[in-house]
Amino acid sequence: IMSRIDYSVWDHIEVSDDEDDTHPNIDTPSLFRWRHQARVERMEEFEKKGEDMKKSLIECRRRLKEAQKKVQEMSTSTTDDAKAELSKAQAEEKKLKKEEREWEKKMEEHTREEKKMPWNVDTLSKDGFSKSIVNVKPETVEESEEEKEQKHKTFVEKYEKQIKHFGMLRRWDDSQKYLSDNPYLVCEETANYLVIMCIDLEVEEKHALMEQVAHQTIVMQFILELAKSLKVDPRGCFRQFFAKIKTADQQYQDAFNDELESFKERVRSRAKIRIEKAMKEYEDEERQKRLGPGGLDPVEVYETLPPEMQKCFDEKNIQMLQDVISKMDPTEAKTHMKRCIDSGLWVPNSKTEEGDEKEEDVTYEEVKQEQGEAKTE
C-alpha cells in the first residue's frame, strides 16, 4: 500500500519568504493526504477481509445445514446403498463442522484485531460521535482556484492575529473556549495558515514554538477531518472533538500523537528544503557579484591555480608571482594569468607610461619582461 502513495502532493507546499505575504495556494490537506489515503486503504482492506470471512462462514453454515438434513433423512433407511450414502453424508457433515469452527475462529481473531487497531481521525465518527447532535449542514458549493486564493487572502488579512493566538494555546479547554468564542476560525484557511507558521518557525530555528503550533495544526486538522466524516460543517462538531480527546484512552492519545509526530517531520523536511533553496539562491547571487570582467568567478579560478600561485595571491606578493611564472611552462602560465584577469583576481595596469591602454594579454608578457630584466641586472 505504501508504495502507491503519491509524494508529489508535497510539491504544492511552497511558502513565500516574505512573512507578510501568505501564499494563497498552499494546500494544507495534502500534508496529511498521503498518510490518510494509506490508512483509508488499510481500513478498507481490513473491512473487506472481514466481510469475505463473514460470507464464507454463512455459506459454510448453509451447506452444513443441508448436510445435517440429508443425514437425518438417510438415518431411517436400512438398505446397503442407503447406508453407504449415509456414511458419505456423515463424513461431509463432519468436514463442514470442522470448516465452520475454523471460520468462527478466524472471525474471532479478526474481531480481536479490530479492537487492537489504533484510533484515528477516520474512526472518530464511528465511535463516540452522533450525527444527530450536529445540525449544521456543510457548504457544498465548489470554489474555483481563484476564489479559494481570494478567500484565503481575505481571511488571513482579517483574522491573522486570532489564528496566531490559537496557534499558541496549549490546553484543550483553552482551545475549545477560544474556538467557541471565535467559531469562524474552524476552517481550512486557519489550518493553512498554521502550516505556514510551522514551516516559518522551523526555518527560523524556533523549534519549540514550531512544535506548539504543530499541535494546534493537528487539532484543527482532526476537527476538519471529523466534519468530513460526519458530513457536517466543522463549526458544528469541534465541541464533540474536544469532548472525545479529553476523555480518550491511551489508544486514542497515541493515534493523535502519531499524527502529530508525522506532521512535525514533514514540516522539518519542508523547512530544510526551503533553507537549502535560499542558501543556493544566496550563493548564486554572491557568485554573480564576484564575477570578473571576463565572466569568471575568482573563487573558482583561485581553486584551480597551482599551490605556489595561490600562495602569491594569499600574500599579495607580485615579486613572488613573477618568480613562480618564470619557472612555469609559458603556455600554462599564460592560461592561468588570462583566467586570473578574466575573474578579476589579477587587475593589470590599465595604462603604460605613455598613457596608452595595454591589452590584457600584455600583463603576462610584462611580468616575464620585468622578471627578465631583474635577472640581467
Side-chain angles (χ1 to χ4, degrees):
I1 293 172
M2 296 301 288
S3 62
R4 291 157 57 190
I5 295 170
D6 180 13
Y7 286 91
S8 66
V9 293
W10 277 80
D11 295 338
H12 300 157
I13 308 300
E14 293 297 337
V15 185
S16 170
D17 288 328
D18 183 354
E19 62 182 19
D20 296 325
D21 180 20
T22 302
H23 198 290
N25 292 330
I26 184 165
D27 180 18
T28 307
S30 66
L31 289 166
F32 307 90
R33 197 173 296 132
W34 68 278
R35 276 175 62 80
H36 179 256
Q37 183 58 34
R39 186 170 59 231
V40 167
E41 289 175 1
R42 285 197 300 271
M43 287 172 63
E44 287 176 351
E45 187 179 314
F46 185 81
E47 287 174 5
K48 186 178 183 302
K49 183 181 175 184
E51 287 171 6
D52 289 344
M53 285 192 291
K54 190 175 180 181
K55 286 177 184 177
S56 297
L57 178 58
I58 291 170
E59 175 61 18
C60 177
R61 283 174 175 170
R62 185 190 66 78
R63 288 163 55 207
L64 175 59
K65 195 173 181 181
E66 287 181 358
Q68 287 171 333
K69 187 179 179 183
K70 195 173 181 181
V71 168
Q72 194 174 13
E73 289 172 352
M74 290 180 175
S75 296
T76 56
S77 183
T78 56
T79 64
D80 290 341
D81 288 344
K83 287 179 180 178
E85 283 295 318
L86 176 61
S87 179
K88 188 177 177 182
Q90 287 173 333
E92 179 68 12
E93 180 188 17
K94 187 177 179 182
K95 177 188 169 188
L96 287 170
K97 279 184 177 179
K98 183 181 178 184
E99 190 176 320
E100 181 188 32
R101 285 195 299 272
E102 288 174 355
W103 282 119
E104 285 173 343
K105 191 176 178 182
K106 285 179 181 179
M107 283 294 294
E108 287 170 6
E109 180 62 30
H110 186 268
T111 303
R112 280 196 294 271
E113 281 183 32
E114 188 175 24
K115 288 179 180 178
K116 288 179 184 177
M117 285 178 74
W119 292 5
N120 55 59
V121 72
D122 295 298
T123 54
L124 274 171
S125 59
K126 297 180 181 179
D127 189 3
F129 289 94
S130 170
K131 292 186 182 182
S132 61
I133 59 176
V134 184
N135 55 21
V136 184
K137 299 294 181 184
E139 295 179 11
T140 56
V141 180
E142 276 295 318
E143 296 175 319
S144 66
E145 286 302 312
E146 292 77 14
E147 287 172 335
K148 285 180 182 178
E149 287 179 19
Q150 188 55 46
K151 184 180 177 183
H152 179 89
K153 186 178 179 182
T154 304
F155 186 85
V156 169
E157 285 174 356
K158 192 173 181 180
Y159 300 119
E160 183 176 22
K161 183 180 177 182
Q162 289 89 335
I163 300 171
K164 285 184 175 180
H165 182 87
F166 175 76
M168 295 300 170
L169 296 176
R170 292 177 180 274
R171 297 174 63 248
W172 298 119
D173 289 338
D174 292 340
S175 294
Q176 182 177 347
K177 185 179 185 308
Y178 196 72
L179 292 182
S180 296
D181 295 339
N182 305 276
Y184 52 83
L185 291 179
V186 188
C187 61
E188 292 284 353
E189 286 71 36
T190 295
N192 289 348
Y193 191 84
L194 291 173
V195 171
I196 295 170
M197 273 186 73
C198 288
I199 298 174
D200 284 345
L201 289 169
E202 185 64 18
V203 167
E204 295 165 11
E205 298 186 348
K206 296 176 181 176
H207 307 301
L209 269 180
M210 181 280 283
E211 293 195 2
Q212 171 56 38
V213 178
H215 179 275
Q216 296 301 90
T217 307
I218 295 299
V219 167
M220 187 58 64
Q221 185 63 23
F222 261 56
I223 294 169
L224 294 174
E225 290 293 337
L226 173 61
K228 287 176 186 175
S229 298
L230 298 177
K231 293 183 173 59
V232 296
D233 189 296
R235 290 170 294 181
C237 68
F238 71 86
R239 290 177 182 84
Q240 284 69 43
F241 163 76
F242 286 110
K244 183 69 178 176
I245 195 71
K246 286 190 286 186
T247 58
D249 58 18
Q250 192 60 43
Q251 224 175 16
Y252 185 75
Q253 290 287 352
D254 289 345
F256 182 90
N257 292 334
D258 184 47
E259 293 285 350
L260 177 57
E261 289 306 314
S262 175
F263 174 67
K264 287 191 287 190
E265 280 305 308
R266 285 287 168 188
V267 167
R268 292 183 189 109
S269 175
R270 293 308 300 175
K272 185 180 177 184
I273 291 170
R274 224 175 117 191
I275 291 168
E276 288 171 354
K277 183 181 177 184
M279 287 298 296
K280 187 178 184 303
E281 288 174 356
Y282 173 77
E283 288 169 4
D284 289 344
E285 286 175 9
E286 289 300 301
R287 185 178 180 280
Q288 283 298 120
K289 292 177 186 176
R290 289 197 304 263
L291 295 184
L296 298 183
D297 182 352
V299 173
E300 292 174 4
V301 170
Y302 174 84
E303 289 173 353
T304 65
L305 295 176
E308 55 270 24
M309 282 190 75
Q310 288 180 350
K311 188 177 180 182
C312 299
F313 285 102
D314 290 342
E315 299 183 12
K316 299 180 181 177
N317 191 322
I318 296 176
Q319 183 60 50
M320 187 189 296
L321 181 62
Q322 291 173 347
D323 293 341
V324 169
I325 286 177
S326 69
K327 297 171 186 175
M328 292 177 69
D329 172 75
T331 305
E332 183 186 356
K334 189 169 184 177
T335 299
H336 281 307
M337 287 307 298
K338 177 70 166 65
R339 283 171 55 77
C340 288
I341 292 167
D342 288 346
S343 66
L345 196 60
W346 171 263
V347 181
N349 292 330
S350 59
K351 295 183 182 293
T352 62
E353 289 179 1
E354 292 78 22
D356 297 323
E357 291 188 0
K358 286 185 177 183
E359 295 293 330
E360 287 180 338
D361 285 347
V362 177
T363 304
Y364 164 70
E365 301 296 342
E366 186 181 71
V367 173
K368 286 290 288 179
Q369 185 178 356
E370 288 179 4
Q371 182 64 22
E373 289 171 356
K375 283 183 178 179
T376 58
E377 288 178 357

